[in-house]
Amino acid sequence: MSKPKVLVTRPLFPEARAILDETFDVEYWKRPERIDRAELLERVTDKDALVCLLTEKVDEELLSAATKLRVAATVSVGYDNIDVAACTRHKVIAANTPGVLDETTADFAWTLLMAVSRRLIEGDAWMRTGAWPGWDLDQLLGSDVFGKTLGIVGFGRIGQRVARRAQGFQMRVLYCNTKRVPLDVERELAAEFASMDEVLERSDFVTLHVPLRPATRHLISTDALGKMKRTGYLINTSRGPVVDESALATALEQKRIAGAALDVFEREPQVLPALLGRKDVVLAPHIGSATIETRTKMAVMAATNAAALFQGHPPPNALNASELDLREPS
Ligand SMILES: NC(=O)c1ccc[n+]([C@@H]2O[C@H](COP(=O)([O-])OP(=O)(O)OC[C@H]3O[C@@H](n4cnc5c(N)ncnc54)[C@H](O)[C@@H]3O)[C@@H](O)[C@H]2O)c1
């Protein structure tokens, strides 16, 4: 019997390939450059499954071209690249990779927070010029982290992991979230529920952990930035469009906040030119989950999501399971 066909837009890792190779007739996109849209649309037409990255859009156009498609699995927890409602209309299961990257992404939010507050990147650049004259009292003075207030916008899986790490720095933690979390979670994480305005106004560090949705696009606007402390820092490891980048550049230029550290950008891979030259900004190339361990787990999870259906199970991380009425076979 012939195997179902899958298109995989990166060669992934051996552990994930083993799962796919067993279940599917696999077509891997192996060229170093990203698959372009026309190529993706053409190659997906005869496929039963797609394993894609957050850089590929699964939308009405793709779903109309891929008439045999039954599952689209993204190797990411954020699924703003997938039009889940359109998938449901086309009876395609959409799946993501929640849970396996929480600790790693929380670590990276902290990496950015520490780097921007202690001016690490400026210091590193200075050292490499060979021009450092030696220790002095007022060089690269940053801001304390210990004992300050951390504001977490979006208190889900990753936001809560970020909060846990703040205990070691004896910080006060404020959070806002669509819903207040249970009291035992608040107590365990020593986190105080607040409105978004309060989080912005009272925090020394504001870190973003919301998904990108229409309601969170430009959540951090000129207005929101204006509510932050002048000594405050903004950390973004969520999605670029959550922050209005030009509003951020203006706020930094006018010294309305002290600095920003960004892992994600509005128009990746482009970075707003006004941010590029700024010393009060730390820029990272969307590497929040980029460790060998975590990226391997994500790839395995996406491969498992794609293969499950063809092994007689609903994908473990289906995003439209209830809409498509998916149930484990009894
Ligand atoms: N930089 C990276 O490499 C990287 C890695 C992992 C995740 N991410 C991003 O982080 C996001 C969060 O991941 P997660 O697994 O913690 O998701 P999650 O769904 O567990 O948590 C998101 C939280 O945000 C809350 N929320 C939604 N809209 C809000 C709003 N307007 N105001 C306040 N809270 C709001 C939700 O209630 C939820 O609790 C992902 O969607 C993804 O885009 C980025």
Side-chain angles (χ1 to χ4, degrees):
M1 216 174 76
S2 67
K3 288 178 170 179
K5 293 182 178 173
V6 65
L7 174 67
V8 188
T9 62
R10 264 285 171 254
L12 305 179
F13 302 100
E15 295 87 337
R17 285 202 295 272
I19 296 166
L20 293 168
D21 294 342
E22 198 187 313
T23 310
F24 293 105
D25 175 3
V26 192
E27 183 176 327
Y28 292 105
W29 176 260
K30 289 186 177 158
R31 293 194 214 152
E33 70 276 11
R34 307 268 350 107
I35 190 166
D36 73 29
R37 182 73 180 167
E39 195 92 43
L40 175 65
L41 291 179
E42 193 193 313
R43 286 174 187 255
V44 82
T45 48
D46 63 338
K47 301 298 185 294
D48 303 282
L50 170 68
V51 177
C52 65
L53 307 186
L54 57 84
T55 40
E56 282 101 40
K57 284 213 176 319
V58 177
D59 55 9
E60 187 60 50
E61 182 189 34
L62 183 142
L63 294 161
S64 301
T67 51
K68 293 179 71 188
L69 199 68
R70 297 185 63 200
V71 55
T74 184
V75 191
S76 58
V77 65
Y79 54 90
D80 40 282
N81 55 323
I82 299 188
D83 183 339
V84 180
C87 284
T88 304
R89 282 197 301 278
H90 286 265
K91 301 210 176 347
V92 171
I93 303 170
N96 68 339
T97 65
V100 288
L101 37 53
D102 303 348
E103 305 291 356
T104 302
T105 309
D107 281 349
F108 197 68
W110 273 93
T111 305
L112 289 180
L113 188 157
M114 300 298 288
V116 72
S117 61
R118 299 304 304 273
R119 305 178 63 178
L120 177 66
I121 312 302
E122 283 178 80
D124 181 88
W126 192 15
M127 296 305 286
R128 287 169 202 272
T129 64
W132 180 54
W135 193 90
D136 210 343
L137 192 64
D138 57 356
Q139 281 170 1
L140 288 182
L141 302 182
S143 164
D144 270 339
V145 173
F146 179 88
K148 293 283 181 76
T149 299
L150 176 67
I152 302 178
V153 179
F155 208 58
R157 288 173 293 251
I158 298 170
Q160 291 182 26
R161 298 314 195 283
V162 170
R164 188 182 298 284
R165 285 154 174 73
Q167 292 180 1
F169 290 89
Q170 296 188 19
M171 294 175 93
R172 174 192 294 269
V173 176
L174 305 175
Y175 78 92
C176 61
N177 195 50
T178 316
K179 274 201 300 199
R180 188 168 178 174
V181 301
L183 280 180
D184 57 329
V185 176
E186 281 187 4
R187 264 196 294 271
E188 192 197 332
L189 299 174
E192 183 189 327
F193 184 58
S195 67
M196 171 135 167
D197 280 359
E198 277 180 283
V199 168
L200 294 170
E201 285 160 12
R202 290 170 56 197
S203 301
D204 299 298
F205 299 91
V206 174
T207 180
L208 307 177
H209 302 285
V210 292
L212 176 60
R213 300 272 180 275
T216 57
R217 187 171 289 272
H218 286 190
L219 188 66
I220 302 301
S221 57
T222 301
D223 183 49
L225 290 159
K227 289 177 178 148
M228 285 179 63
K229 292 185 181 181
R230 283 186 177 266
T231 51
Y233 294 86
L234 179 73
I235 320 297
N236 189 12
T237 56
S238 64
R239 283 288 182 265
V242 173
V243 176
D244 178 343
E245 256 171 34
S246 65
L248 174 63
T250 304
L252 289 162
E253 182 61 29
Q254 296 177 349
K255 302 218 173 299
R256 283 194 273 116
I257 66 169
L262 310 171
D263 183 41
V264 285
F265 302 89
E266 261 197 276
R267 281 168 285 275
E268 293 179 14
Q270 290 158 37
V271 180
L272 192 74
L275 293 174
L276 283 176
R278 299 202 63 88
K279 290 187 171 164
D280 49 7
V281 179
V282 170
L283 304 169
H286 202 150
I287 52 174
S289 66
T291 65
I292 295 166
E293 299 92 326
T294 292
R295 287 280 168 88
T296 302
K297 284 184 204 156
M298 290 164 68
V300 165
M301 199 173 214
T304 306
N305 282 331
L309 188 68
F310 303 93
Q311 297 166 349
H313 307 281
N317 307 104
L319 292 159
N320 47 359
S322 54
E323 289 83 351
L324 292 175
D325 202 17
L326 300 179
R327 286 188 211 128
E328 274 292 340
S330 47

